[in-house]
Short mmCIF file of all heavy atoms in Angstrom, two decimals:
data_model
loop_
_atom_site.label_atom_id
_atom_site.label_comp_id
_atom_site.label_asym_id
_atom_site.label_seq_id
_atom_site.Cartn_x
_atom_site.Cartn_y
_atom_site.Cartn_z
N SER A 1228 -2.12 2.66 19.21
CA SER A 1228 -3.14 3.72 19.15
C SER A 1228 -3.77 3.96 20.52
O SER A 1228 -4.01 5.10 20.92
CB SER A 1228 -4.22 3.35 18.14
OG SER A 1228 -3.72 3.40 16.83
N PRO A 1232 -2.73 8.41 23.66
CA PRO A 1232 -3.23 9.55 24.46
C PRO A 1232 -2.55 9.71 25.81
O PRO A 1232 -2.13 10.84 26.15
CB PRO A 1232 -4.73 9.25 24.59
CG PRO A 1232 -5.05 8.45 23.38
CD PRO A 1232 -3.86 7.59 23.16
N LEU A 1307 -13.72 7.13 26.05
CA LEU A 1307 -13.22 6.26 24.99
C LEU A 1307 -13.35 6.85 23.58
O LEU A 1307 -12.50 6.61 22.73
CB LEU A 1307 -13.89 4.88 25.03
CG LEU A 1307 -13.67 4.06 26.28
CD1 LEU A 1307 -14.38 2.72 26.17
CD2 LEU A 1307 -12.19 3.84 26.56
N ILE A 1308 -14.42 7.58 23.30
CA ILE A 1308 -14.60 8.07 21.93
C ILE A 1308 -14.55 9.58 21.82
O ILE A 1308 -14.44 10.13 20.72
CB ILE A 1308 -15.94 7.57 21.34
CG1 ILE A 1308 -17.12 8.14 22.13
CG2 ILE A 1308 -15.99 6.06 21.30
CD1 ILE A 1308 -18.46 7.87 21.47
N GLY A 1309 -14.63 10.32 22.94
CA GLY A 1309 -14.70 11.77 22.89
C GLY A 1309 -13.36 12.46 22.95
O GLY A 1309 -12.36 11.89 23.37
N ASP A 1310 -13.33 13.72 22.50
CA ASP A 1310 -12.15 14.59 22.51
C ASP A 1310 -11.07 14.02 21.59
O ASP A 1310 -11.26 13.04 20.91
CB ASP A 1310 -11.63 14.77 23.94
CG ASP A 1310 -10.93 16.13 24.12
OD1 ASP A 1310 -10.70 16.81 23.11
OD2 ASP A 1310 -10.63 16.48 25.27
N TRP A 1311 -9.88 14.67 21.58
CA TRP A 1311 -8.83 14.22 20.68
C TRP A 1311 -8.34 12.82 21.04
O TRP A 1311 -7.91 12.06 20.16
CB TRP A 1311 -7.67 15.21 20.69
CG TRP A 1311 -7.01 15.39 22.03
CD1 TRP A 1311 -7.27 16.36 22.95
CD2 TRP A 1311 -5.97 14.58 22.59
NE1 TRP A 1311 -6.47 16.21 24.05
CE2 TRP A 1311 -5.65 15.12 23.85
CE3 TRP A 1311 -5.28 13.46 22.15
CZ2 TRP A 1311 -4.69 14.56 24.69
CZ3 TRP A 1311 -4.31 12.90 22.97
CH2 TRP A 1311 -4.01 13.45 24.23
N SER A 1312 -8.40 12.46 22.32
CA SER A 1312 -7.92 11.13 22.73
C SER A 1312 -8.81 10.02 22.17
O SER A 1312 -8.33 8.93 21.86
CB SER A 1312 -7.87 11.04 24.25
OG SER A 1312 -9.17 11.24 24.81
N GLY A 1313 -10.10 10.31 22.01
CA GLY A 1313 -11.00 9.30 21.46
C GLY A 1313 -10.72 8.96 20.02
O GLY A 1313 -11.06 7.86 19.55
N VAL A 1314 -10.09 9.89 19.28
CA VAL A 1314 -9.73 9.61 17.89
C VAL A 1314 -8.80 8.40 17.82
O VAL A 1314 -8.89 7.58 16.91
CB VAL A 1314 -9.06 10.84 17.25
CG1 VAL A 1314 -8.59 10.54 15.84
CG2 VAL A 1314 -10.03 12.03 17.25
N PHE A 1315 -7.91 8.27 18.81
CA PHE A 1315 -6.96 7.16 18.83
C PHE A 1315 -7.52 5.92 19.53
O PHE A 1315 -7.37 4.80 19.04
CB PHE A 1315 -5.67 7.60 19.54
CG PHE A 1315 -5.04 8.82 18.93
CD1 PHE A 1315 -5.19 10.06 19.51
CD2 PHE A 1315 -4.31 8.72 17.76
CE1 PHE A 1315 -4.61 11.19 18.95
CE2 PHE A 1315 -3.72 9.84 17.19
CZ PHE A 1315 -3.88 11.08 17.78
N THR A 1316 -8.19 6.12 20.66
CA THR A 1316 -8.66 4.98 21.45
C THR A 1316 -9.73 4.18 20.72
O THR A 1316 -9.69 2.95 20.70
CB THR A 1316 -9.21 5.48 22.80
OG1 THR A 1316 -8.22 6.26 23.46
CG2 THR A 1316 -9.60 4.31 23.68
N ALA A 1317 -10.70 4.87 20.12
CA ALA A 1317 -11.80 4.17 19.47
C ALA A 1317 -11.31 3.27 18.33
O ALA A 1317 -11.69 2.10 18.24
CB ALA A 1317 -12.82 5.18 18.94
#
Side-chain angles (χ1 to χ4, degrees):
S1228 290
L1307 298 181
I1308 63 171
D1310 208 350
W1311 61 265
S1312 61
V1314 176
F1315 304 102
T1316 305

